[in-house]
Amino acid sequence: MVKNCERTYFIQNVGVFLIVLGYFDVVSNAFAVGTVLGLSALAYRHFRYGSPIFELGRENIPWQAIFVMLFFCILILIAAFFTVNSEVSIDSAVHRFNYMRPFFLLLLLANFRTGFFQAIWFGIVVGGIALCFAGENALKQFFILNIPRPSGSHSHPNVLAAHLVIIIPAIVAGICDKRFYKGLKIIAIICLLLVVFTMLLTGSRGAFLALLFASVWASLYYAHNRKKTVIAILVVATIVLAVTSIFSHRTIAGLGTIVEYQNTATFSERGRIYLWQGTWEMVKDYPVFGVGRDNSNKVYNEKY
């Protein structure tokens, strides 16, 4: 009986893993299959063994996070009704709300077992590897197709870099967690190196500076913990070695253009300066509600 009950937790955690992986768009219907597995295991355990539906308990609900998210949703909807094209903005807002589904679904499936947290983390790890290899992946684009700034399956190199840099802290946190299986940590370390390297291939200066700043800060913050400090230093060393050995000239030249905005006619990034100027004019013309989600390109091209 105990073994059967434990199996339901395993099935539930497989569902949790697939729910997280589903948001990386690499496996068809992963989110739907994960939802069915997770909720089915939860329901079976409740009716068969009498375990509570919501194991996290009301006292452990992150009410502040929920209120912030709901407040955010309300503001987006209110603003959508007063924008240039409310229909487009409302559709975009609803699309954005879909990305919040995992939070509430995983909250329902949450428990205090290590396996639950490990399933979420490993979903991020596998998703990170998929971001580097899925579809017309960045590594193929760079090394085989000779694309200098690969974007993978995303619309722009900076978009891919943003996805990669934001999952790095989660990967590092799981590697440092003593409760997680060491075998999975080996995969996570490989994923970390791959994600950092692919992020550098994109040539995104913002992502590079963000990761460099976060790594230095983490090294100082975890100075009392030798293991975490070593991991943070490894991330910094990976960045430095990659930049100096492969991208030194391009990176230094690219970073140098950040301070060259005074004379916009003399360097290749002047289009970005014009974009900033036009955006500021747009903000002044629509100061309260803005032009609305997914309307900015149309309005910018027409008026700015």
Side-chain angles (χ1 to χ4, degrees):
M1 180 176 176
V2 175
K3 287 185 177 180
N4 290 335
C5 186
E6 290 298 319
R7 290 194 185 101
T8 64
Y9 280 106
F10 175 78
I11 295 172
Q12 183 172 320
N13 289 335
V14 171
V16 168
F17 167 78
L18 291 175
I19 288 172
V20 176
L21 187 62
Y23 269 76
F24 288 87
D25 291 330
V26 291
V27 180
S28 299
N29 300 319
F31 183 88
V33 174
T35 301
V36 172
L37 286 177
L39 294 180
S40 297
L42 184 67
Y44 178 82
R45 189 169 60 251
H46 172 71
F47 291 108
R48 182 69 175 82
Y49 302 107
S51 61
I53 282 288
F54 189 64
E55 294 189 39
L56 198 61
R58 292 184 178 181
E59 66 279 3
N60 297 304
I61 297 177
W63 291 110
Q64 290 182 335
I66 293 175
F67 289 145
V68 168
M69 295 171 74
L70 292 177
F71 183 64
F72 172 76
C73 293
I74 292 171
L75 289 183
I76 288 184
L77 282 177
I78 292 176
F81 284 101
F82 297 94
T83 56
V84 174
N85 189 332
S86 60
E87 184 177 353
V88 171
S89 296
I90 292 173
D91 287 343
S92 178
V94 173
H95 179 70
R96 181 60 53 188
F97 298 158
N98 287 334
Y99 285 95
M100 297 184 182
R101 287 184 302 170
F103 173 81
F104 294 100
L105 183 56
L106 295 177
L107 194 62
L108 177 62
L109 298 174
N111 54 67
F112 293 104
R113 292 169 173 251
T114 302
F116 170 74
F117 301 102
Q118 186 167 254
I120 294 177
W121 170 71
F122 199 59
I124 295 174
V125 170
V126 176
I129 295 175
L131 282 176
C132 300
F133 283 107
E136 286 293 329
N137 63 80
L139 298 177
K140 175 183 175 181
Q141 290 174 346
F142 184 83
F143 290 107
I144 299 177
L145 302 179
N146 296 318
I147 298 176
R149 291 191 64 197
S151 58
S153 57
H154 293 78
S155 59
H156 192 275
N158 289 345
V159 177
L160 174 60
H163 280 77
L164 294 173
V165 76
I166 203 170
I167 67 174
I168 289 175
I171 297 173
V172 173
I175 294 174
C176 296
D177 196 314
K178 296 180 180 180
R179 300 171 299 170
F180 292 179
Y181 292 123
K182 291 183 178 180
L184 298 182
K185 291 184 179 183
I186 295 174
I187 301 176
I189 292 173
I190 296 173
C191 172
L192 178 63
L193 296 174
L194 179 64
V195 165
V196 172
F197 183 73
T198 305
M199 188 211 75
L200 291 169
L201 288 178
T202 66
S204 173
R205 292 168 297 188
F208 166 76
L209 292 174
L211 184 57
L212 184 62
F213 172 80
S215 300
V216 172
W217 180 86
S219 300
L220 297 175
Y221 182 80
Y222 292 117
H224 62 284
N225 188 311
R226 182 178 301 176
K227 183 177 179 180
K228 293 181 180 180
T229 303
V230 169
I231 292 176
I233 292 175
L234 283 175
V235 174
V236 176
T238 302
I239 297 172
V240 173
L241 288 174
V243 170
T244 54
S245 61
I246 303 176
F247 310 106
S248 57
H249 176 72
R250 189 182 74 184
T251 302
I252 293 172
L255 292 173
T257 61
I258 294 177
V259 298
E260 294 180 13
Y261 66 91
Q262 293 89 347
N263 185 359
T264 60
T266 61
F267 68 106
S268 61
E269 299 269 342
R270 59 183 177 275
R272 182 170 295 181
I273 306 301
Y274 296 149
L275 179 61
W276 292 343
Q277 293 171 345
T279 301
W280 176 240
E281 295 299 322
M282 187 187 297
V283 170
K284 290 191 293 185
D285 290 341
Y286 302 90
V288 180
F289 297 109
V291 297
R293 293 189 58 83
D294 285 356
N295 288 321
S296 58
N297 284 344
K298 183 175 184 295
V299 176
Y300 180 84
N301 290 331
E302 290 178 351
K303 299 178 62 176
Y304 302 95

